Amino acid sequence: MVSAAPPRLGRLSPLTVLCAAVVIAVTTTALNSWAVSAGVLLGLAVLLASVGLGRKVLPAAAVIMVPFGLSLLLTHGLFFPEGRSVLWTFGPARVTAEGLFFAASMGLRTAVFVVVFLAFSFHVQPADLMALLTKYRTPPQLGFVLCSALTIAPAIAARARRVAQAQQARGLVTGSGLRGRLAAVREQAVPLVLALLHEAGSRADSLEARGFGGRSRRTSYREVTDSRAQQVFRTMLLAALLAFLVFWYGAR
Amino acid sequence: MRLQLDTFSYPGDEHPTLHGIDLAVQAGDCVLVAGGSGSGKSTLARILAAVLPGRHGGVLTARFDMGGETLWFSAGGQHSARPDDPASALAATSPDVVNPRINAAVWNRHLAYVGQDPSAQLSTVAATVAEEIAFALENSGMDRVLMKERVRLTARDLGLTDLLQRNPNELSGGEQRRMIIASAAALNPDFLVLDEPTAGLDADARRYVRTMIESLLARGAGIVLLTPELGGIGRLAARVHLLDGGRIVASGPRSTMLRSAEAARLPLLPDAVDTASAAVAAAAEEANDGGPGALPHAVQAQPVAELQDVVYRYGDQRRRRLTALSKRSLLRRPTVLDGVNLTLRAGERVAIAGANGAGKSTLLRHLNGLARPESGTVRILDRNIAGEPVGSVARDVAYLFQDPQDQLFERTVAREVAYGMPVEDSEDRDAAVQHALERCGLTALAQEHPYELPASARRLVALATVLVRRPSLLAMDEPTVSMDRDGVDRLARAIKVEAARGAAVAVVTHNLDFAYAHCSRLVLLSSGRIVADGPFMHVLEQHFGGGEAFGVQAPAAWMRSKGVDSI
């Protein structure tokens, strides 16, 4: 069974996509405008939907953003000392227009950050990234850490599933709904952390035993397209970002 | 290569794990280091692989001659000079020191190592099997064109050509093991250290590994095999070292060592071909004719589990609607089980065998609801378990996972065994846990962490977690893998006792020697279908005249009784 090819943003190299993600995230944060953040989010949603990544990225972003958004609303929406335009009060809580605006603006900025980096992690194949970093003679350990960061969520999820199955096979019945899920998390947290630590230790051993991390220069079996044009584009993009940051913060 | 090891102790241990070892391997030699659980095999393998002591610390006092260099390790040695040392390629630190830090990539070219657990050795950064095989070559800095050719040839030698574009995570355990062996062999190393290289492999895969080792030997490589088995792949070894309590207690030619008093004393698995003993034949006779699990009685007994027309494909059918696979894309996925009908009755001891990837584990997972059929029904005792949580089915079905790492999650052996037991009567529970620990020989290890135990003991902990529940059905996936003779004997006794009290026992296994001695019925699975099912002897007579059927090798003792040599 050959796994389905991941959706592709044309023939863009992972480094180009990473560069674009960094530029979008940094610029949006620097501009600090809810309108810009909302516009960028809309643009990203359209782009991701058109390349077939929307169904993967947007639910994952929602999982992160919904609790985060709620916590922003609770902290800034209800308790914003600088707020003057009071919309509603209940005991010590004051809902102010400024508080809501602050929460919304921060939420939108964070959402841009979350969506671009999730899009990057879903788009890029860790093997492609590793191959490119090897090509540019990045220390292999750094490449491995970056690739592991991309695969850590599915790896943890897979291990958590195995722990859950082991417990269920021994009689654990977790209820449905939020309460059941919380009970399952409580039951699985310690075994999961112990298993992940054990796994990380044995993985490090076996990588070493397979010659990883030696002094020799590493080569790559996998070939990844990364044209000269893309390299030039990346350099220009990063230079433009730097110039923008100097201008933006210098002008203030 | 020669390792003269005085002592090795793990950090914080008072007593050395290994001591007094002198292991020399010449070019073209195959050496077997045989030892029971906890004898120090894997520690020795990891020292040979230069993983230990490394960043783990521990105290090693040894002299290592490798690739024309001599490396010194000393308990008190702090970078002390040694005389007349040439520039060292193996050590990452300055060559004139004791306790050098090893350059992994260079060491790997001289000596490659394959550990016990293949899934723990995946690089996690390879998208395909070809890249996973190439991983060690990449680390050695090999040119891409040469690397592609090397990967192609090694994959061909190990029967992996058709799998080269697959995702390494999607392979079965046996296929992953062959892939990791291929990665080490592709280096064309001077020496190859293999820790239980054929555990869990089917007949074809074993043959590929055997041929690979033979061709490496013919090319002049030295091979070190570490296993509790005196037979199997160990038959390639001319010389055998017996390891016990971290010490080599006897060494000599294989023919001498097989019949030595030390070999008989240690918990080693005898060579089924050389010693297809009367005991095996007697046990098989009991299992097949007169034993409590014999089919004629069992047919009368109540069904404990029934699979009817079970069809299963990869793809989780329990996902939420939003992310579920469409019916069309699900139908494109390969069928793992294709119309399986199977009834297991009280008191039966059933072996389920087949090639790697035939669907054996998936079939077993249906018995407790870990896998749910796309169509068809699964009944446990008198109920259909569709929609019933796994945790609830577990009241009647105890499941032994293929990899104990998937089964064990608690902090101590005692807590592990007690997990999920009813807490109402703690005295009863404690007594049951104690009894299960005794049956598995784990009483002294009750407060140890399961992850810290040797592989065979970990398997026994997993077995104890199953026995303590006194289930109506025991489903065991490859329970004999990595077990020494003591472990196998305890497993065999457990199967006998459980069947005698009226439980059905289903054992998925490649080890037909074990199944022949301890099971009464044989089910053969091929490409997701049951192709043979009946009394053990009957299925053997029907299908195994040629010594092998559906990727399964006939039991050596039975072959011997027929006057045919095993493969």
Side-chain angles (χ1 to χ4, degrees), chain B residues 228-502:
Chain B
E229 270 186 286
L230 289 167
I233 199 79
R235 282 185 218 124
L236 290 174
R239 205 171 163 74
V240 175
H241 299 279
L242 302 181
L243 196 64
D244 182 34
R247 204 164 57 86
I248 289 181
V249 291
S251 300
R254 182 170 178 275
S255 51
T256 315
M257 297 314 296
L258 273 183
R259 288 163 184 82
S260 68
E262 287 291 357
R265 180 181 67 81
L266 299 179
L268 303 172
L269 296 165
D271 185 345
V273 171
D274 285 354
T275 58
S277 64
V280 175
E285 201 168 303
E286 186 202 316
N288 282 281
D289 298 325
L295 205 61
H297 305 283
V299 169
Q300 315 295 325
Q302 288 297 312
V304 174
E306 275 183 289
L307 272 67
Q308 289 168 347
D309 300 321
V310 166
V311 175
Y312 178 87
R313 279 175 235 268
Y314 282 127
D316 189 351
Q317 291 121 58
R318 285 176 296 160
R319 286 188 190 186
R320 278 160 191 76
R321 194 171 295 167
L322 187 68
T323 53
L325 294 163
S326 68
K327 198 169 179 186
R328 219 171 121 192
S329 66
L330 190 63
L331 285 174
R332 279 202 303 269
R333 294 182 161 240
T335 312
V336 184
L337 295 180
D338 190 5
V340 166
N341 289 292
L342 181 70
T343 302
L344 304 172
R345 294 174 188 276
E348 262 192 310
R349 292 177 267 175
V350 184
I352 301 169
N356 288 130
K360 305 183 298 294
S361 297
T362 306
L363 188 157
L364 211 62
R365 291 166 77 85
H366 276 81
L367 293 174
N368 73 340
L370 281 174
R372 305 284 178 170
E374 181 187 312
S375 63
T377 54
V378 180
R379 299 184 70 81
I380 297 297
L381 297 175
D382 51 0
R383 67 189 191 275
N384 183 340
I385 61 163
E388 186 177 332
V390 175
S392 159
V393 182
R395 280 197 313 268
D396 301 307
V397 182
Y399 191 94
L400 189 75
F401 285 75
Q402 188 172 21
D403 182 354
Q405 214 70 17
D406 289 346
Q407 180 124 15
L408 308 177
F409 50 84
E410 276 287 1
R411 278 162 278 180
T412 66
V413 169
R415 284 175 64 109
E416 190 74 66
V417 178
Y419 183 91
M421 293 291 289
V423 288
E424 293 82 48
D425 191 338
S426 63
E427 266 184 34
D428 275 3
R429 184 186 63 171
D430 292 348
V433 169
Q434 199 52 42
H435 183 55
L437 290 173
E438 276 167 27
R439 288 174 75 184
C440 295
L442 296 167
T443 309
L445 303 175
Q447 296 312 314
E448 297 288 324
H449 195 300
Y451 287 174
E452 304 296 327
L453 300 178
S456 188
R458 269 205 307 270
R459 292 228 159 235
L460 286 168
V461 176
L463 177 64
T465 68
V466 166
L467 297 180
V468 76
R469 311 183 66 81
R470 290 178 61 82
S472 303
L473 169 63
L474 286 85
M476 301 183 174
D477 198 351
E478 296 285 4
T480 62
V481 168
S482 298
M483 271 195 175
D484 63 9
R485 194 176 68 210
D486 175 59
V488 170
D489 288 348
R490 288 182 186 279
L491 173 69
R493 272 200 299 277
I495 289 175
K496 188 173 174 181
V497 169
E498 293 301 300
R501 75 165 171 81

Side-chain angles (χ1 to χ4, degrees), chain A residues 170 205 209 218-219 222, chain B residues 46 55 108 131 139 416:
Chain A
R170 303 248 287 283
D205 278 359
R218 214 174 171 270
T219 49
R222 193 177 180 87
Chain B
R46 292 167 75 210
R55 61 191 167 79
N108 204 224
E131 289 169 33
N139 294 332
E416 190 74 66

Side-chain angles (χ1 to χ4, degrees), chain A residues 165-181:
Chain A
Q165 288 190 344
Q167 292 177 334
Q168 288 163 7
R170 303 248 287 283
L172 176 71
V173 181
T174 46
S176 53
L178 188 63
R179 213 166 148 186
R181 292 211 160 202

Side-chain angles (χ1 to χ4, degrees), chain A residues 21-61:
Chain A
V22 168
V23 168
I24 292 172
V26 171
T27 318
T28 318
T29 308
L31 287 173
N32 192 16
S33 148
W34 71 267
V36 171
S37 301
V40 170
L41 265 185
L42 194 66
L44 281 171
V46 172
L47 176 71
L48 293 173
S50 68
V51 297
L53 274 171
R55 278 184 68 163
K56 275 183 160 183
V57 174
L58 298 179

Side-chain angles (χ1 to χ4, degrees), chain A residues 142-214:
Chain A
L142 176 69
F144 189 82
V145 167
L146 282 176
C147 291
S148 298
L150 290 177
T151 53
I152 196 160
I156 291 177
R159 176 49 74 180
R161 206 161 40 240
R162 284 153 86 172
V163 170
Q165 288 190 344
Q167 292 177 334
Q168 288 163 7
R170 303 248 287 283
L172 176 71
V173 181
T174 46
S176 53
L178 188 63
R179 213 166 148 186
R181 292 211 160 202
L182 285 176
V185 167
R186 201 186 59 200
E187 196 76 23
Q188 285 154 18
V190 173
L192 178 63
V193 171
L194 290 178
L196 288 171
L197 286 176
H198 178 78
E199 205 167 281
S202 56
R203 182 86 56 207
D205 278 359
S206 67
L207 288 174
E208 204 178 320
R210 295 179 73 190
F212 186 76

